[in-house]
Amino acid sequence: MEKAPNRQAALVVTSISSFLAAFMSASIIIGLPSIGDELKMDAIMLGWVVTVYLLVQAIVLIPSGRIADIYGRKKIFTYGMITYTVTSILLAMSNSAAMLISLRVLQGLGGAMIFSTAVAILASAFPPEERGRVLGINSAVVYGGITLGPFVGGLLTHYLGWRSIFWTTVPLGLLTIALVFWKFKGEWAEARGEKFDIAGSVIYGLIIIAIIYGLTTLPAISGAGLILAGLLGIVAFVKWENRVKHPILDISLLRNNTVFALSNLAALINYSATFAVAFLLSLYLQYIKGFTPETAGLVLIAAPLMQAIFSPLAGRLSDKIEPRTIASAGMALTAIGLCLFIFLGKATSLWLIIASLVILGLGFAFFAAPNTNAIMGSVESKFYGVASATMSTMRLTGAMLSMAIVMVLFALNLGRVQITPEYYASFLKSTNTAFIIFAVLCFGGIFASLARGKVR
């Protein structure tokens, strides 16, 4: 168990890494139109720049969390930071769509090792009565990265080109690696000595690939076949995990722990309904409104700024009030914000867009940290790595489902074309339909959040 003097080191190191990953994800979305113009990428290929990064993380997160529980969370975290930083350097030198997307695969691998361990390290280092507070701080840092990402990414893209987004993250990565070796002592590995379930990891990875790739190829028959194969694979995965002595995912956590299961379901729904919002609005503001990347990034700051400001408050409240109450209220606010985007059009007022983003940001702030607190507070310490990874997997799977919904709508309404004025009406139709789907999903998520039961 980590000693108290290293708590602050744990908070600093995990906060910098969380900021770095969030900043990269937010800033690259603003750079997508410029990347598409230089590397001749259509709307669907631009979607894959985001989606492939998430797909790799979803495949690797739970196995990575399990490896961290066995061999050490700090060790896996360090490997992840090194991978992420080196890949950022290579991404800045990409000269083709194939190279860019391939390197995003490697960056996703590094990101998975970071995300599967950061929250688990915080849960290990701090006592339960302080957990909501530090998770709130971590959430605020993440949203700080998301807040600065669009604006700084827009400035960088406008003045220095999209490659500068990747170069900017390198110093932060090197700083984090240096702090890990210099200040961050000790290790957590409560499952040390247990075996790693390789077969279960392979089955799990194939399921994720089949379902997500199947979603992106809809409405083709092959897409439906892949999704069906993935769903059948889930049955095989559950049977296998119930048989092995040390599974990568203890099914009893989902079967016998209502708080854990429904909190993860709530996270899945929330991210499915919200992740693609920034992607759609980035394209909308630059193509339909004609804004520069810099101006579009400034508009998109509204939501994550609210998240950065209010997440610490939401985290502290969840130490005193039942997390489900606060998280459910956050889910309801998010649903309202999404409803306001349903009628987005060429003449939509910029102030209405900003007000809707503010409501979305408030909703997410009051959902995320309390929901994370509920998940980490519902399991034993030996499962912290897997619990953190499962939560991150729900977040990333939700993000991929969100992007898959958008990519299917693009395929149906736009096809494989670059977004030019003659296709603006089709783009807006896809966007409006996406927001209807997202609002309905989030409304259903309110009930999943309320049904989870009490943590205390």
Side-chain angles (χ1 to χ4, degrees):
M1 182 66 67
E2 187 62 55
K3 295 180 180 178
N6 269 319
R7 287 178 185 168
Q8 295 311 312
L11 183 58
V12 170
V13 167
T14 55
S15 294
I16 295 174
S17 67
S18 298
F19 175 88
L20 170 66
F23 175 83
M24 171 70 79
S25 296
S27 56
I28 198 172
I29 286 176
I30 285 293
L32 285 177
S34 298
I35 293 171
D37 290 342
E38 182 177 331
L39 301 182
K40 302 295 185 290
M41 299 171 73
D42 59 42
I44 292 174
M45 285 185 73
L46 286 178
W48 271 107
V49 174
V50 178
T51 304
V52 75
Y53 173 78
L54 301 172
L55 176 59
V56 172
Q57 287 193 19
I59 292 169
V60 177
L61 267 167
I62 288 180
S64 177
R66 177 63 182 157
I67 290 171
D69 285 341
I70 296 171
Y71 297 104
R73 290 168 196 149
K74 191 187 83 170
K75 183 183 293 184
I76 300 304
F77 174 86
T78 306
Y79 291 156
M81 278 308 312
I82 293 170
T83 303
Y84 200 93
T85 304
V86 171
T87 309
S88 293
I89 295 170
L90 296 174
L91 277 161
M93 297 186 283
S94 296
N95 56 18
S96 69
M99 182 178 179
L100 184 80
I101 292 173
S102 298
L103 286 169
R104 286 286 280 173
V105 170
L106 288 177
Q107 193 175 46
L109 178 63
M113 288 189 275
I114 295 169
F115 288 129
S116 65
T117 51
V119 170
I121 286 171
L122 290 176
S124 303
F126 287 85
E129 61 271 17
E130 294 184 40
R131 189 175 294 141
R133 178 181 67 84
V134 296
L135 292 175
I137 292 170
N138 185 258
S139 292
V141 169
V142 168
Y143 299 136
I146 296 172
T147 301
L148 288 175
F151 178 60
V152 176
L155 282 174
L156 290 169
T157 302
H158 186 70
Y159 291 107
L160 299 174
W162 60 267
R163 298 173 192 278
S164 61
I165 293 172
F166 295 108
W167 284 120
T168 303
T169 62
V170 174
L172 275 178
L174 293 174
L175 173 63
T176 307
I177 294 165
L179 285 173
V180 168
F181 287 107
W182 179 36
K183 289 285 188 183
F184 195 18
K185 308 301 179 185
E187 184 59 284
W188 301 271
E190 286 92 341
R192 192 183 299 278
E194 295 183 2
K195 289 185 178 179
F196 178 69
D197 178 17
I198 296 175
S201 299
V202 172
I203 297 169
Y204 173 78
L206 291 174
I207 289 168
I208 296 292
I209 292 170
I211 292 175
I212 298 303
Y213 188 71
L215 284 168
T216 63
T217 56
L218 289 174
I221 297 296
S222 58
L226 283 169
I227 293 169
L228 178 61
L231 294 174
L232 291 173
I234 292 174
V235 177
F237 177 72
V238 170
K239 286 185 176 180
W240 175 261
E241 294 298 276
N242 281 326
R243 283 175 50 196
V244 295
K245 186 176 181 181
H246 300 298
I248 60 161
L249 177 61
D250 191 333
I251 301 300
S252 66
L253 285 176
L254 296 170
R255 186 173 56 235
N256 302 328
N257 189 332
T258 305
V259 172
F260 182 80
L262 289 180
S263 296
N264 275 292
L265 176 61
L268 175 66
I269 293 171
N270 192 274
Y271 281 95
S272 296
T274 58
F275 181 83
V277 171
F279 174 77
L280 287 171
L281 289 180
S282 172
L283 298 180
Y284 166 82
L285 291 170
Q286 292 180 72
Y287 287 122
I288 308 299
K289 290 291 191 184
F291 291 175
T292 64
E294 178 185 359
T295 307
L298 193 59
V299 172
L300 291 177
I301 278 178
L305 181 61
M306 292 298 103
Q307 294 162 10
I309 292 170
F310 288 97
S311 287
L313 171 62
R316 286 198 303 272
L317 285 174
S318 71
D319 284 332
K320 301 172 183 178
I321 304 170
E322 270 300 320
R324 71 167 180 172
T325 304
I326 304 165
S328 301
M331 187 81 84
L333 277 172
T334 306
I336 292 168
L338 290 168
C339 285
L340 294 174
F341 281 120
I342 288 174
F343 301 103
L344 196 67
K346 190 172 184 179
T348 302
S349 162
L350 182 59
W351 291 111
L352 177 61
I353 294 169
I354 292 171
S356 304
L357 284 169
V358 166
I359 294 170
L360 268 180
L362 281 170
F364 205 75
F366 282 94
F367 171 79
N371 196 65
T372 301
N373 196 8
I375 289 171
M376 300 308 293
S378 67
V379 299
E380 300 173 46
S381 61
K382 70 175 287 187
F383 293 121
Y384 280 167
V386 168
S388 173
T390 303
M391 178 186 64
S392 294
T393 300
M394 293 301 105
R395 176 172 57 80
L396 288 166
T397 304
M400 286 187 297
L401 286 171
S402 194
M403 287 300 297
I405 289 167
V406 170
M407 291 168 75
V408 168
L409 291 171
F410 278 179
L412 290 171
N413 295 314
L414 278 165
R416 300 192 71 94
V417 296
Q418 288 187 277
I419 302 172
T420 51
E422 62 264 37
Y423 295 107
Y424 284 176
S426 298
F427 168 76
L428 284 172
K429 181 182 178 183
S430 300
T431 301
N432 298 147
T433 306
F435 280 116
I436 292 170
I437 295 169
F438 294 157
V440 170
L441 273 172
C442 211
F443 183 75
I446 297 170
F447 299 99
S449 183
L450 286 170
R452 77 180 80 189
K454 296 181 179 181
V455 175
R456 290 182 285 273

